[in-house]
C-alpha cells in the first residue's frame, strides 16, 4: 500500500493541549446545536402532529446536509486551508437556531435544520485538521479529545428535552443562540492559531514539496479498506439513529414512561458513548486500531440483541455497556482512515465523520417509515442485529501493515 502525503502535524512532537481542548469545546458547541433537533422531536410531534416519517425527514435534512457537504469542504480545505470557515460554520448554526425557535410548520423546520447541517459540514473537516495539526505524536489521544467534545454535545439532547423544551416548548431553541455566539468567539481565536500555523515556514515547505502527490493514485488495498470503514460506519450509525431518534418513543409506548422521564435513558446511552469515545483512542494506541474497531461492534452485539426484551430496570445497565463499547471506535476509525490517506486529512475526515451523519440520516428516514408501517418494537429488533455487520473488520489491514505502508 502506498498512501499519499501532503499536510503533516508540526515537526515538533509536542501535543498542543490548549488548542486541542479549545477545538474540542468548539466541537461540543457545534454538536450541541445539532442535538437540539432530536431533542425537540417530542415537542414538534405533538404541536405539529408529525408522523414518525416526517420526524425522520427532519433528521434526514439535518444529517444529509452535513454528510454531503463535509467531503466537499474537506477537499476545498485540503487544497486551500481556510481557518475562518470555523466561526462561519457556527454563524450558520446560529441562524438555524433562530429559525427553529419560530418555525410555524414542518417546512420551515426543514429549512432551519438545513442551516444547522451546513454549519456542521463547514466545521468538521477544519476542526479535524486543527486537531491533527495540534496532535504531535499522540494522534489517537488527540483525536479522542477532539471527538469527545462532539459526542458530549450530542449526548446533551435528552437534557435539552427535559430542561428546556418540556418547560419552554419550541421557542426554547432561541436560548441556544447564546451558545452559538460563544462558539463564534472561541472559534475565531482557534482560527487565528490555525492561520499562523499554516503560514509557518515548516508547514509551507511541506506543502510545497508534496503538492505533486495530489496526482498519485490511491492503492486499491487502501480503497478497499476505506470501503470497509464506510460499511462499519453504516452499521454503527444506523444503530445510533434507531436509539437516538426513536427509543424515547419506544419507552413511552412499551413501558408507559413520560417524555421527561425517557430522557434519562437516552442520556445514559449517549454519555456512555462519550466516555467510550475518549478511552477508545488510548486503547487503540495500545491494543491496535483494528482490534478496537472489531471489539466495538461485535462486543456490543449480544447486549443490543437483549435490549428490546429486558425489563425496564435492566435498560440503564445495558445502555451503559452498549454506549461505551459501541462508541469506543468512533475516534479510532477517523485516525485509522487518516493514516491510510495522510495526505488528505480534510477529505478523509469529512468523508468518515460526514458519512456517519449521512448514514444516520438515511437510517432515521428508513426506520421512521418502518415504524409507521410495522411498529417501534420491530425497528428496535431490526437495529439490534446491525452491530453484527462489524465482522467485516476482520478484513481490515492490521496496524503493522499500515505502519509498513
Amino acid at each position: 500500500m502506498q498512501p499519499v502525503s501532503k499536510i503533516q502535524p508540526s515537526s515538533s512532537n509536542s501535543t498542543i493541549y490548549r488548542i486541542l481542548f479549545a477545538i474540542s469545546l468548539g466541537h461540543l458547541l457545534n454538536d450541541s446545536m445539532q442535538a437540539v433537533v432530536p431533542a425537540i422531536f417530542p415537542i414538534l410531534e405533538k404541536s405539529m402532529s408529525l408522523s414518525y416519517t416526517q420526524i425522520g425527514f427532519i433528521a434526514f435534512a439535518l444529517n444529509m446536509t452535513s454528510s454531503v457537504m463535509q467531503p466537499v469542504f474537506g477537499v476545498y480545505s485540503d487544497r486551500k486551508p481556510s481557518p475562518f470557515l470555523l466561526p462561519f460554520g457556527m454563524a450558520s448554526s446560529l441562524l438555524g437556531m433562530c429559525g427553529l425557535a419560530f418555525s410555524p410548520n414542518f417546512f420551515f423546520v426543514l429549512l432551519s435544520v438545513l442551516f444547522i447541517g451546513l454549519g456542521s459540514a463547514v466545521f468538521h473537516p477544519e476542526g479535524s485538521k486543527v486537531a491533527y495539526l495540534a496532535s504531535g505524536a499522540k494522534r489517537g489521544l488527540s483525536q479522542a479529545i477532539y471527538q469527545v467534545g462532539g459526542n458530549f454535545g450530542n449526548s446533551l439532547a435528552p437534557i435539552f428535552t427535559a430542561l428546556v423544551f418540556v418547560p419552554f416548548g419550541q421557542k426554547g431553541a432561541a436560548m441556544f443562540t447564546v451558545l452559538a455566539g460563544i462558539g463564534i468567539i472561541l472559534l475565531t481565536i482557534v482560527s487565528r492559531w490555525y492561520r499562523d500555523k499554516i503560514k509557518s515556514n515548516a508547514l509551507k515547505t511541506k506543502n510545497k514539496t508534496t503538492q505533486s502527490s495530489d496526482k498519485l493514485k490511491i492503492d486499491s488495498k487502501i480503497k478497499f479498506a476505506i470501503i470497509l470503514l464506510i460499511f462499519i460506519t453504516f452499521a454503527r450509525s444506523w444503530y445510533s439513529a434507531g436509539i437516538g431518534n426513536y427509543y424515547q418513543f419506544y419507552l413511552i409506548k412499551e413501558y408507559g414512561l413520560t417524555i421527561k422521564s425517557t430522557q434519562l435513558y437516552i442520556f445514559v446511552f449517549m454519555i456512555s458513548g462519550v466516555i467510550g469515545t475518549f478511552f477508545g483512542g488510548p486503547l487503540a494506541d495500545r491494543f491496535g486500531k483494528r482490534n478496537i474497531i472489531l471489539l466495538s461492534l461485535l462486543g456490543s452485539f449480544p447486549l443490543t440483541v437483549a435490549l428490546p426484551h429486558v425489563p425496564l430496570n435492566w435498560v440503564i445497565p445495558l445502555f451503559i455497556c452498549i454506549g461505551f463499547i459501541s462508541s469506543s471506535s468512533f475516534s479510532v476509525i477517523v485516525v485509522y482512515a487518516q493514516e491510510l490517506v495522510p495526505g488528505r486529512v480534510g477529505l478523509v475526515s469529512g468523508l468518515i465523520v460526514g458519512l456517519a451523519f449521512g448514514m444516520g440520516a438515511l437510517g432515521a428516514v428508513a426506520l421512521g417509515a418502518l415504524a409507521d408501517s410495522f411498529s417501534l418494537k420491530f425497528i428496535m429488533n431490526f437495529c439490534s442485529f446491525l452491530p453484527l455487520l462489524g465482522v467485516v473488520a476482520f478484513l481490515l489491514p492490521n496496524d503493522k501493515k499500515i505502519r509498513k505502508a
Side-chain angles (χ1 to χ4, degrees):
M1 293 186 297
Q2 191 65 38
V4 296
S5 176
K6 189 178 178 181
I7 189 168
Q8 298 292 337
S10 169
S11 57
S12 168
N13 283 330
S14 61
T15 303
I16 307 173
Y17 286 102
R18 63 182 176 84
I19 296 299
L20 282 175
F21 286 119
I23 196 63
S24 181
L25 179 56
H27 200 182
L28 185 156
L29 294 171
N30 177 86
D31 285 22
S32 292
M33 303 298 109
Q34 289 183 259
V36 166
V37 179
I40 206 173
F41 280 167
I43 307 302
L44 296 179
E45 188 228 0
K46 286 193 172 184
S47 65
M48 297 184 182
S49 300
L50 302 182
S51 67
Y52 292 131
T53 302
Q54 286 177 309
I55 289 172
F57 270 111
I58 294 172
F60 178 85
L62 171 69
N63 295 330
M64 187 53 71
T65 304
S66 176
S67 172
V68 170
M69 296 305 296
Q70 273 196 52
V72 173
F73 282 109
V75 170
Y76 177 79
S77 67
D78 281 340
R79 296 183 179 277
K80 185 178 179 181
S82 305
F84 290 96
L85 279 177
L86 288 167
F88 172 81
M90 191 62 70
S92 178
S93 295
L94 188 151
L95 291 175
M97 284 297 107
C98 291
L100 188 60
F102 302 104
S103 292
N105 56 48
F106 171 69
F107 295 102
F108 275 92
V109 171
L110 286 178
L111 179 62
S112 298
V113 300
L114 288 176
F115 279 97
I116 300 172
L118 178 63
S120 179
V122 171
F123 172 84
H124 279 97
E126 292 291 351
S128 287
K129 289 178 75 173
V130 169
Y132 185 80
L133 288 170
S135 65
K138 299 179 180 178
R139 293 190 192 174
L141 175 62
S142 298
Q143 190 64 218
I145 291 171
Y146 168 68
Q147 294 294 351
V148 82
N151 281 16
F152 185 71
N154 276 315
S155 74
L156 294 175
I159 301 299
F160 295 157
T161 302
L163 299 183
V164 178
F165 296 116
V166 169
F168 298 104
Q170 181 182 343
K171 291 183 179 178
M175 299 180 185
F176 294 90
T177 58
V178 177
L179 293 182
I182 294 171
I184 290 171
I185 296 170
L186 173 69
L187 293 177
T188 299
I189 295 170
V190 172
S191 295
R192 288 172 179 167
W193 175 87
Y194 183 14
R195 177 196 60 194
D196 294 341
K197 191 72 175 174
I198 60 178
K199 284 182 177 179
S200 66
N201 291 333
L203 193 53
K204 277 185 175 180
T205 301
K206 287 177 183 175
N207 284 336
K208 288 177 181 178
T209 58
T210 57
Q211 280 175 350
S212 61
S213 65
D214 280 352
K215 299 179 181 179
L216 293 176
K217 292 183 179 180
I218 299 175
D219 187 277
S220 60
K221 292 181 180 179
I222 294 178
K223 289 180 181 178
F224 180 66
I226 293 291
I227 291 171
L228 290 179
L229 291 177
I230 290 171
F231 187 75
I232 291 167
T233 300
F234 152 78
R236 193 189 61 221
S237 297
W238 272 51
Y239 183 77
S240 296
I243 298 298
N245 291 305
Y246 299 108
Y247 195 77
Q248 57 189 322
F249 299 112
Y250 182 75
L251 287 169
I252 293 169
K253 186 178 177 77
E254 296 294 326
Y255 297 99
L257 300 184
T258 64
I259 290 176
K260 190 171 183 178
S261 60
T262 62
Q263 304 312 306
L264 170 64
Y265 295 84
I266 305 302
F267 178 72
V268 167
F269 173 74
M270 291 185 169
I271 202 67
S272 299
V274 172
I275 298 170
T277 298
F278 179 77
F279 283 100
L283 287 172
D285 288 339
R286 180 171 182 180
F287 298 107
K289 298 177 185 65
R290 188 186 72 167
N291 293 337
I292 296 300
I293 293 170
L294 187 62
L295 175 65
S296 73
L297 288 167
L298 295 188
S300 63
F301 172 64
L303 305 176
T304 61
V305 170
L307 181 65
H309 309 288
V310 298
L312 184 62
N313 59 346
W314 277 93
V315 172
I316 285 182
L318 283 179
F319 263 172
I320 291 172
C321 297
I322 294 170
F324 183 92
I325 296 171
S326 64
S327 294
S328 61
S329 65
F330 188 85
S331 63
V332 177
I333 290 176
V334 177
V335 175
Y336 188 100
Q338 287 176 346
E339 291 187 356
L340 283 173
V341 195
R344 298 173 186 173
V345 176
L347 171 61
V348 170
S349 301
L351 182 64
I352 297 298
V353 180
L355 193 67
F357 291 128
M359 290 297 184
L362 292 173
V365 173
L367 295 173
L370 288 173
D372 284 331
S373 300
F374 297 97
S375 68
L376 287 168
K377 189 155 192 170
F378 175 83
I379 65 168
M380 289 300 112
N381 282 306
F382 173 79
C383 288
S384 69
F385 284 89
L386 290 173
L388 185 60
L389 299 178
V391 70
V392 301
F394 277 117
L395 301 175
L396 289 170
N398 60 31
D399 293 52
K400 279 187 179 179
K401 289 184 179 179
I402 294 177
R403 281 194 294 268
K404 285 180 182 179

